[in-house]
């Protein structure tokens, strides 16, 4: 049982997964005497690419008490209002679809969208493209941030686009500098277990032993701890339409025009990257 009373949590692997875990555990339990140690190998790099989040990442930083103006500039971050699906359909007028994150305005506009979508399926000629009914699509098309230039009484949920390598480095600094997390640069060669199957320590390539009360596997595709526990790898390759990604910088696209009949929103412009 993990109650934080003088226990030692060992996290294997850095990157965003490992350092997010370290920050949350230390933030929650360090006052009760819990020790947190993160172990990562300097020989094993992390996947440092641009990433996008859901609105839960905002809650993560709020929980840690880290303001946006502290971490976003350091991580080349900008706002994300939803997910754009380009080439979604070959039907005229429906070639793209923007999946928005929720807002407090949805209760006013979404019912009409649902009604129109149902009416269109029964043959009535009514507007049923979601981009005309949901605010995030308009904000993203205009490259606007979800921070209003004037008073706006409706909450707009949002995520972020960011450099994953820089977020990991930022959280590492916060974890070690503010939350007291121990950082060990070791390459793990073996996982020590007792006859009952419980993990008792990680063994590095020099024979060093890192003991703990609870272990977290954030070692990525290597799954070092899971492999030691004989947890089978379940592949979903046969269900994937795509299993490769090519990462490259792109030019900032011009803002899209608002749909016909809709005035452009008044808002603050998003920073680097895109707001989609």
């Amino acid at each position: 049982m993990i109650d934080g009373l003088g226990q030692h949590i060992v996290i294997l692997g850095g990157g965003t997964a490992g350092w997010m875990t370290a920050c949350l555990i230390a933030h929650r339990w360090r006052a009760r005497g819990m020790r947190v140690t993160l172990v990562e190998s300097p020989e094993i790099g992390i996947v440092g690419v641009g990433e996008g989040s859901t609105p839960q990442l905002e809650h993560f930083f709020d929980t840690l008490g880290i303001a946006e103006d502290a971490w976003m500039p350091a991580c080349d971050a900008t706002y994300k209002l939803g997910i754009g699906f380009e080439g979604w359909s070959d039907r005229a007028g429906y070639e793209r679809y923007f999946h928005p994150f929720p807002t407090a305005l949805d209760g006013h506009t979404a019912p009409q969208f649902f009604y129109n979508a149902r009416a269109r399926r029964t043959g009535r000629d009514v507007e049923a493209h979601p981009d005309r009914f949901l605010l995030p699509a308009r904000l993203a098309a205009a490259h606007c941030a979800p921070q209003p230039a004037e008073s706006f009484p409706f909450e707009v949920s949002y995520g972020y686009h960011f450099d994953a390598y820089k977020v990991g480095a930022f959280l590492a600094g916060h974890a070690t500098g503010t939350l007291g997390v121990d950082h060990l640069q070791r390459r793990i060669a073996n996982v020590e277990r007792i006859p009952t199957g419980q993990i008792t320590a990680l063994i590095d390539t020099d024979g060093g032993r890192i003991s703990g009360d609870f272990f977290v596997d954030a070692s990525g595709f290597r799954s070092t701890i899971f492999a030691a526990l004989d947890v089978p790898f379940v592949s979903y390759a046969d269900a994937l339409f795509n299993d490769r990604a090519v990462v490259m910088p792109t030019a900032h696209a011009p803002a899209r025009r608002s749909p016909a009949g809709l005035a452009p929103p008044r808002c603050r412009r998003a920073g680097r990257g895109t707001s989609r």
Side-chain angles (χ1 to χ4, degrees):
M1 177 180 177
I2 301 301
D3 57 19
L5 296 175
Q7 294 172 317
H8 185 202
I9 306 295
V10 178
I11 301 166
L12 177 59
T16 52
W19 287 113
M20 287 177 75
T21 303
C23 285
L24 285 175
I25 292 176
H27 177 80
R28 175 64 176 83
W29 280 316
R30 66 177 175 140
R32 303 185 70 178
M34 174 173 280
R35 290 176 53 217
V36 180
T37 298
L38 187 142
V39 184
E40 64 176 343
S41 171
E43 303 169 8
I44 303 174
I46 67 171
V47 181
V49 298
E51 290 188 7
S53 79
T54 64
Q56 277 64 42
L57 189 61
E58 181 194 8
H59 177 67
F60 166 79
F61 280 107
D62 286 346
T63 298
L64 296 180
I66 301 175
E68 288 182 342
D69 59 6
W71 78 269
M72 289 183 69
C75 301
D76 294 340
T78 188
Y79 297 105
K80 176 181 176 182
L81 291 155
I83 305 169
F85 293 89
E86 305 291 341
W88 180 250
S89 169
D90 56 8
R91 175 185 286 186
Y94 292 84
E95 296 86 356
R96 67 181 306 277
Y97 161 63
F98 188 85
H99 179 78
F101 292 142
T103 76
L105 279 171
D106 292 348
H108 300 278
T109 61
Q112 185 64 51
F113 164 63
F114 297 144
Y115 179 87
N116 281 21
R118 180 176 179 83
R120 193 171 184 87
R121 287 198 299 270
T122 59
R124 282 173 279 181
D125 185 17
V126 295
E127 177 61 57
H129 196 296
D131 288 4
R132 289 185 60 87
F133 294 88
L134 303 170
L135 178 63
R138 292 185 60 204
L139 294 178
H143 289 183
C144 285
Q147 305 290 354
E150 301 173 357
S151 177
F152 188 69
F154 301 97
E155 181 181 0
V156 178
S157 297
Y158 57 86
Y160 307 94
H161 291 290
F162 52 88
D163 185 313
Y165 182 87
K166 291 184 177 181
V167 167
F170 180 91
L171 292 176
H174 181 74
T176 57
T178 303
L179 299 176
V181 173
D182 294 323
H183 183 202
L184 299 179
Q185 293 196 341
R186 312 275 180 83
R187 181 153 190 167
I188 300 304
N190 195 19
V191 177
E192 179 183 284
R193 298 172 65 189
I194 58 178
T196 59
Q198 182 178 350
I199 295 174
T200 52
L202 304 178
I203 310 299
D204 65 30
T205 52
D206 295 325
R209 185 174 182 273
I210 305 165
S211 62
D213 299 295
F214 190 83
F215 296 82
V216 178
D217 193 339
S219 61
F221 292 117
R222 289 173 177 78
S223 300
T224 303
I225 295 176
F226 284 121
L229 293 172
D230 300 321
V231 177
F233 174 77
V234 179
S235 174
Y236 286 86
D238 60 340
L240 296 176
F241 292 106
N242 179 38
D243 63 357
R244 298 290 189 275
V246 178
V247 181
M248 67 186 72
T250 58
H252 195 282
R256 287 190 176 91
R257 296 180 62 184
S258 295
L262 296 179
R266 296 186 63 187
C267 57
R268 294 177 184 169
R269 292 290 176 176
R272 295 184 60 181
T274 70
S275 57
R276 288 178 291 147

